[in-house]
Amino acid sequence: MAATDAPDRRIWIDGSLVPWRDATVHLLSHSLQRGSLVFDYMSVHATDRGAAVFRLGDHVRRFLASCELVGLPLAQGEQEISHAIVETVRANPGSTAVKVCAYLPSVEVDVVPLDDRVSLAVASYDPGLDVVARKSGAKPGYSPTLRIWLEKQRRNRRPDILSPHAKVAANYTGPMVAKWAAKKRGYDEILLLDEEGYLAEGPTTNFFLVDRDGTLRTPPEETVLLGVTRRSVLEIAERDGRKVIEERVRPEALFEAAEAFLTGTSAGVWAIATVDDRSIGAGAPGPVTAELAKRFREVVAGRDPGFLHWLTFVDEG
Ligand code: PMP
């Protein structure tokens, strides 16, 4: 089966909503052949006030920053992109996620395109129902805690090759190779180290430790993607009176920590049970991770008045 069809979904491409199955690019397009597609991915939540996008402005600004880092000359600005996202979420009821993409659809021969017109696309859908459930052989269900492999060979995205802040397709190839190998050996996820051997992040998640006194520690911004969930967890924890530290973390610190977890738009706050088959703390999810996961779920669902400004209610615009 080549493409999974989601017959109820429409995808916004350069100003028009087209059926899911028609959202295609040429095999020889620059973005496919060179990995130059820039994207961002955000969550949509069912709330008392209808569908709401979580931290829309932050995601759109990160998307624009990624385009800038890669040099894609995108024609649209923050407002236009935000409007396109809201329109697409409205047109696709029941969505839980939005993927916004900037890409070079032109067929090219060199790494630098002759035709540098950038297309903008927005897909709003439910990745579980519209994609995973439609694949034959898909295993339903999530494991509530993670078995992690600490990657020893392949380092995280290197700033001197391509900024780790850029959400560009090419930046995911190295982590894909490492995670695929770990999955074949039965692990759920990997953690990557930075150039100097400090903990960095997962292929699509940020990483936190919980010290024995309840302090949260996470690697600094220089070496990781600026995760919106990472920033949200730091802000929620601080608001709740918890101490948070952004600093380099040695891998050995994992095995002295009380708890560890990953954060991400898909993952939310996800407890780590083992790293290289060694248990972390007294068993996952630990109390701090469980509390933060609960707080994060409350915030994204609009049940914490202190963080309502993080939600864009698409039916009220
Ligand atoms: N690191 C990388 C490399 C990612 O791709 C992602 C997913 N966007 C994250 C961390 C988590 O970021 P966010 O919380 O914004 O989803």
Side-chain angles (χ1 to χ4, degrees):
M1 181 165 56
T4 308
D5 195 10
D8 308 333
R9 296 289 180 215
R10 285 179 302 154
I11 295 183
W12 188 103
I13 301 180
D14 294 331
S16 319
L17 284 162
V18 304
W20 174 288
R21 76 184 75 84
D22 297 336
T24 56
V25 291
H26 196 279
L27 171 70
L28 299 176
S29 65
H30 188 280
S31 282
L32 197 56
Q33 294 289 332
R34 307 291 187 186
S36 56
L37 175 140
V38 165
F39 67 100
D40 213 284
Y41 187 68
M42 60 205 91
S43 56
V44 182
H45 302 269
T47 74
D48 295 346
R49 289 161 61 183
V53 181
F54 185 60
R55 302 194 75 165
L56 174 64
D58 294 294
H59 281 284
V60 172
R61 285 188 289 276
R62 185 173 70 180
F63 176 63
L64 288 168
S66 295
C67 289
E68 185 84 29
L69 285 165
V70 174
L72 280 194
L74 184 64
Q76 296 85 349
E78 185 177 336
Q79 279 235 322
E80 276 172 276
I81 299 168
S82 304
H83 282 146
I85 291 171
V86 167
E87 182 190 338
T88 311
V89 176
R90 265 193 216 125
N92 288 281
S95 292
T96 59
V98 168
K99 192 164 239 187
V100 53
C101 311
Y103 57 101
L104 294 161
S106 168
V107 169
E108 294 291 334
V109 290
D110 190 13
V111 284
V112 175
L114 290 170
D115 174 357
D116 68 358
R117 193 182 54 80
V118 178
S119 276
L120 178 67
V122 185
S124 177
Y125 57 117
D126 180 327
L129 292 179
D130 292 323
V131 182
V132 180
R134 289 189 155 113
K135 300 219 178 278
S136 55
K139 294 187 209 96
Y142 251 108
S143 127
T145 58
L146 292 162
R147 295 187 63 224
I148 300 270
W149 172 250
L150 188 59
E151 173 61 20
K152 317 289 184 304
Q153 288 172 344
R154 209 166 287 271
R155 293 290 160 100
N156 197 34
R157 304 152 171 88
R158 280 177 42 178
D160 60 335
I161 297 177
L162 196 52
S163 169
H165 294 174
K167 276 188 81 70
V168 56
N171 246 353
Y172 289 81
T173 312
M176 175 202 78
V177 176
K179 178 167 173 175
W180 207 339
K183 279 244 169 197
K184 283 183 191 147
R185 298 204 316 281
Y187 296 96
D188 302 311
E189 189 50 276
I190 60 168
L191 268 175
L192 294 145
L193 304 177
D194 69 18
E195 266 306 277
E196 290 164 45
Y198 293 92
L199 289 163
E201 61 189 329
T204 58
T205 51
N206 292 109
F207 161 76
F208 283 78
L209 281 186
V210 184
D211 290 337
R212 290 182 192 281
D213 67 356
T215 301
L216 298 188
R217 277 196 291 152
T218 193
E221 294 193 342
E222 295 86 86
T223 56
V224 298
L225 185 90
L226 303 177
V228 173
T229 320
R230 171 186 179 279
R231 180 57 44 211
S232 304
V233 165
L234 287 171
E235 291 178 37
I236 294 167
E238 270 192 313
R239 174 83 61 97
D240 291 352
R242 194 174 289 285
K243 194 169 163 205
V244 302
I245 304 175
E246 294 173 68
E247 67 174 19
R248 301 187 128 183
V249 183
R250 286 243 166 248
E252 306 82 72
L254 266 169
F255 303 105
E256 291 146 24
E259 304 176 30
F261 60 89
L262 299 180
T263 62
T265 295
S266 303
V269 173
W270 205 346
I272 296 176
T274 63
V275 176
D276 293 357
D277 304 316
R278 289 169 67 184
S279 295
I280 304 299
V288 176
T289 306
E291 169 66 16
L292 286 167
K294 186 177 123 245
R295 290 287 291 121
F296 186 69
R297 283 196 301 270
E298 283 167 4
V299 167
V300 296
R303 295 198 302 270
D304 183 334
F307 291 103
L308 269 182
H309 59 284
W310 280 351
L311 294 174
T312 300
F313 298 95
V314 304
D315 299 323
E316 296 177 3

